[in-house]
Amino acid sequence: MTKIKELEELRSKTQIAIDAQKNLVERNQMGQYSTPFELAKEVAEFVLNQWKTHNPNTPIRFLEPAIGTGAFYSAFRSQALDNDISNATGIELDKSFFEASRDLWKDERIKIINEDSTKVQLNDFYNLLITNPPYVRHHHIDKEEKDRLKKKVKELLGYDVSGLSGLYCYFIWLSHQWLLEGAWATWLIPSEYLDVNYGRLVKKYLKEKVRLKFIHKYDPNNCQFTDALVSSCVLIYEKSVPDESDVVRFSFGGSIEKPDFVKYVRINELNPDDKWSWNLMDRPEKTKTVQFSDFFDVKRGIATGNNDFFVLERKQIEEMGLPIQCFTPLLPPPRGLNSDVIECDIDGFPDVCPQPFVIDTSLTEEELADKYPQLSSYLDKGKQEGILEGYIVRNRKVWYKQENRKPAPFLCTYMGRESSGGNPFRFIWNKSNAIVTNGYLMLYPKGELKALLKSNPNLYSSVYDALCLIADENFSDEGREYGGGLKKIEPKELGKVSADALLSILPSYEVVEQQLIF
Ligand SMILES: C[S@@+](CC[C@H](N)C(=O)[O-])C[C@H]1O[C@@H](n2cnc3c(N)ncnc32)[C@H](O)[C@@H]1O
């Protein structure tokens, strides 16, 4: 058994023992309902995957402002490696939980503090917050304490909040000060803030101060969790400047990874004065309405005919003195990518190491011999070794000129294996001028999406988010299965995958939706 598994066993026993020492009134006043480990794990796994996609290679600075015995920390540690974490802090007001947590996690990098999260001064900042904060209703907060909390929120965010707000609302508002730009915050909280009056300023915060990503509500009729969690929802947002093109995923039932119902809503359609739970109750059937081919031309990456010969690394090209202008930059195969978001340098070359290139020129053999003798002799050597015997190479008009492919901003892996029920295919956001070989499918935006991306490049990020969501939700039945669980997806098959998540990015969304209904 791994160390973290052993610690989790010990933690859950400790939790039961401490709960047994407390009466219900006391637990109610302190909001002490610990998260079942399976639920904490489901949430932590989901958010960590999302976070890693958006923040590749970024060390995690983890914060749990109401740690209890550490259900969320334990769940997070069962997914995150030691090396992924740069620092971690847990805060707990109750002495018995604080001591239990401090002793349990003493060999871990996490620092546990015995403080009130609404008062504590932290000297650190964090990029990942995951918690189940105390559900203390306003009538358990005395007037003096309420005035103090309201004053703090006013100073920090300029909001005049309602005295009816539950303690978890103050946790959300006040945590703003500890989050780094780009940080993700995940809250397991009651869903009532979506509809009641005091929730208006939580919704205003979610609309104006951060980029709201997900709201998932568990189905109360199919709840595998304790009573305290019956109306629970998971709220996930990123601390960065919101964009009016942002799209929020509302989901209901099942798990956050595989909900029963999903609806995508553009942030500018959400009004803090309205009830938001209609997004969860007005449950559209998961029927296919629009598909990939409505938004993208999908093409397979190039087949060079012989990657060993045609694909060279930048270092080899330089060492052999070959002319870089006769090459086109390539991305490494999917398994060689460190990140699914490919940044580029000032010349448009991808930020990948090593940097592969493919021979690709229209110059004739005579012109090459004249201008670039080193490349000419490399090609001659290939001929002597029989490169022209390959079907693809011998059928090309100019045998060293590749198929005509422009760089595509989005890519999908062509094949993969399902890992623990996950999607075998993944999407890549390619910001560079590199093209790809046939281990990928290339997605070229078309029609309205193409025009929108041209006029508002901020939308690329929303499109990529939508693609990642589609990958999680719509792919399970797509592609063809080969031996050993290997799956492949052809351009035509990808073209038929449902792409509703992309629909809500388009201004013509309402029109399209109405057309579908009537
Ligand atoms: C709903 S429980 C959740 C505990 C843990 N996050 C989990 O998921 O199991 C909330 C925890 O917050 C603690 N708490 C209550 N008020 C607090 C405050 N003002 N500052 C820090 N912790 C507090 C409670 O003692 C309790 O352990």
Side-chain angles (χ1 to χ4, degrees):
M1 200 189 293
T2 64
K3 191 181 103 197
I4 295 296
K5 260 196 170 163
E6 274 174 31
L7 284 170
E8 172 48 32
E9 281 203 352
L10 192 55
R11 187 203 65 78
S12 63
K13 282 185 192 145
T14 311
Q15 180 75 46
I16 294 168
I18 301 180
D19 283 349
Q21 288 161 17
K22 293 179 185 283
N23 64 41
L24 266 182
V25 177
E26 200 182 344
R27 285 178 61 192
N28 227 342
Q29 283 175 0
M30 286 288 283
Q32 291 171 330
Y33 292 94
S34 94
T35 311
F37 181 68
E38 282 311 309
L39 174 59
K41 198 161 152 243
E42 170 196 317
V43 173
E45 186 173 342
F46 180 81
V47 74
L48 203 58
N49 280 339
Q50 294 284 334
W51 191 86
K52 279 187 173 167
T53 307
H54 288 80
N55 302 274
N57 309 322
T58 309
I60 299 172
R61 306 175 65 83
F62 176 89
L63 177 65
E64 214 308 11
I67 193 163
T69 56
F72 270 109
Y73 179 70
S74 178
F76 160 73
R77 278 296 276 121
S78 71
Q79 315 289 323
L81 302 175
D82 225 359
N83 288 344
D84 292 341
I85 306 163
S86 118
N87 77 343
T89 301
I91 309 170
E92 174 56 52
L93 180 60
D94 182 293
K95 198 131 198 281
S96 49
F97 280 122
F98 159 71
E99 282 171 357
S101 214
R102 179 198 57 195
D103 296 350
L104 257 166
W105 305 110
K106 64 179 187 308
D107 294 331
E108 286 278 304
R109 203 170 294 164
I110 189 164
K111 186 168 86 189
I112 317 269
I113 312 173
N114 185 201
E115 283 274 8
D116 181 334
S117 277
T118 67
K119 292 184 182 155
V120 68
Q121 287 268 9
L122 294 178
N123 299 324
D124 265 322
F125 295 95
Y126 302 88
N127 56 21
L128 185 64
L129 179 157
I130 313 181
T131 190
N132 168 0
Y135 302 179
V136 180
R137 293 186 182 278
H138 78 96
H139 45 261
H140 288 306
I141 312 175
D142 66 33
K143 168 140 186 355
E144 205 181 314
E145 180 66 349
K146 260 186 207 171
D147 289 345
R148 182 186 70 80
L149 289 167
K150 284 165 75 173
K151 190 162 164 253
K152 269 199 116 167
V153 177
K154 175 81 178 169
E155 281 164 11
L156 186 68
L157 301 169
Y159 292 164
D160 287 308
V161 303
S162 157
L164 303 180
S165 313
L167 186 57
Y168 70 92
C169 303
Y170 294 99
F171 266 66
I172 293 176
W173 292 314
L174 295 178
S175 68
H176 196 74
Q177 60 192 316
W178 305 317
L179 298 179
L180 286 162
E181 192 58 22
W184 281 54
T186 302
W187 303 85
L188 179 65
I189 47 177
S191 54
E192 61 198 25
Y193 72 97
L194 294 169
D195 292 340
V196 295
N197 282 342
Y198 74 73
R200 196 182 76 80
L201 283 174
V202 176
K203 289 180 272 183
K204 192 168 157 63
Y205 172 78
L206 297 175
K207 179 158 177 170
E208 293 177 352
K209 306 273 190 205
V210 294
R211 299 184 87 171
L212 179 56
K213 302 268 183 189
F214 300 91
I215 295 183
H216 175 78
K217 188 173 175 202
Y218 291 96
D219 183 350
N221 297 319
N222 187 17
C223 185
Q224 59 274 55
F225 312 119
T226 63
D227 282 353
L229 295 165
V230 154
S231 74
S232 286
C233 80
V234 179
L235 162 68
I236 304 179
Y237 55 82
E238 180 187 330
K239 187 190 177 189
S240 50
V241 181
D243 188 282
E244 59 176 13
S245 63
D246 288 346
V247 174
V248 186
R249 191 194 82 170
F250 284 83
S251 53
F252 179 85
S255 69
I256 186 164
E257 172 83 35
K258 290 200 175 2
D260 292 340
F261 303 101
V262 172
K263 180 165 183 148
Y264 296 92
V265 183
R266 260 185 294 145
I267 191 75
N268 57 10
E269 287 168 23
L270 291 171
N271 181 346
D273 295 330
D274 294 342
K275 295 187 174 187
W276 283 10
S277 65
W278 63 267
N279 295 300
L280 298 162
M281 288 179 310
D282 173 22
R283 305 171 203 163
E285 289 291 325
K286 255 195 180 176
T287 50
K288 187 157 45 174
T289 47
V290 286
Q291 53 188 34
F292 260 76
S293 56
D294 294 319
F295 297 105
F296 297 101
D297 285 323
V298 184
K299 292 200 169 120
R300 186 95 186 259
I302 60 167
T304 67
N306 189 326
N307 288 348
D308 289 343
F309 179 76
F310 289 106
V311 179
L312 297 167
E313 287 173 15
R314 183 189 275 276
K315 200 163 160 252
Q316 292 174 293
I317 296 172
E318 286 167 359
E319 278 169 6
M320 287 193 256
L322 303 177
I324 197 86
Q325 56 273 42
C326 295
F327 288 77
T328 296
L330 271 186
L331 293 186
R335 66 175 180 285
L337 292 181
N338 286 332
S339 159
D340 287 352
V341 179
I342 310 294
E343 302 294 340
C344 69
D345 69 13
I346 192 167
D347 298 316
F349 290 123
D351 181 14
V352 288
C353 185
Q355 265 192 346
F357 287 78
V358 59
I359 300 175
D360 188 17
T361 173
S362 316
L363 293 177
T364 61
E365 292 192 48
E366 292 72 35
E367 286 168 327
L368 283 175
D370 187 33
K371 283 177 94 171
Y372 304 118
Q374 279 94 337
L375 180 56
S376 178
S377 55
Y378 181 79
L379 294 175
D380 283 345
K381 196 167 136 263
K383 272 195 206 167
Q384 283 155 24
E385 287 167 7
I387 191 94
L388 291 179
E389 283 158 27
Y391 176 84
I392 293 176
V393 180
R394 79 168 181 268
N395 282 295
R396 276 202 290 251
K397 213 163 153 204
V398 179
W399 67 270
Y400 44 79
K401 166 94 189 120
Q402 307 299 328
E403 290 160 88
N404 193 7
R405 288 277 193 290
K406 294 217 156 44
F410 302 108
L411 307 164
C412 178
T413 53
Y414 169 67
M415 60 184 174
R417 278 196 167 74
E418 255 176 49
S419 55
S420 62
N423 173 34
F425 308 109
R426 60 185 221 268
F427 287 100
I428 317 289
W429 177 8
N430 173 30
K431 301 185 186 177
S432 77
N433 284 337
I435 62 166
V436 287
T437 56
N438 49 9
Y440 296 91
L441 303 185
M442 305 174 83
L443 277 67
Y444 299 94
K446 67 182 198 186
E448 189 180 357
L449 182 64
K450 184 177 175 184
L452 273 173
L453 286 167
K454 199 166 172 213
S455 62
N456 179 8
N458 282 339
L459 267 182
Y460 278 99
S461 143
S462 306
V463 173
Y464 183 62
D465 284 353
L467 290 175
C468 294
L469 289 173
I470 292 170
D472 289 342
E473 287 158 12
N474 299 97
F475 263 55
S476 46
D477 304 328
E478 309 299 336
R480 288 170 213 186
E481 184 133 14
Y482 293 78
L486 186 70
K487 276 193 146 193
K488 294 184 182 171
I489 190 157
E490 299 296 337
K492 275 207 171 121
E493 291 168 327
L494 181 62
K496 286 187 195 149
V497 172
S498 166
D500 285 1
L502 282 161
L503 198 59
S504 46
I505 294 171
L506 305 183
S508 59
Y509 167 49
E510 282 98 339
V511 180
V512 178
E513 196 176 48
Q514 273 175 18
Q515 278 169 357
L516 294 167
I517 292 168
F518 298 113

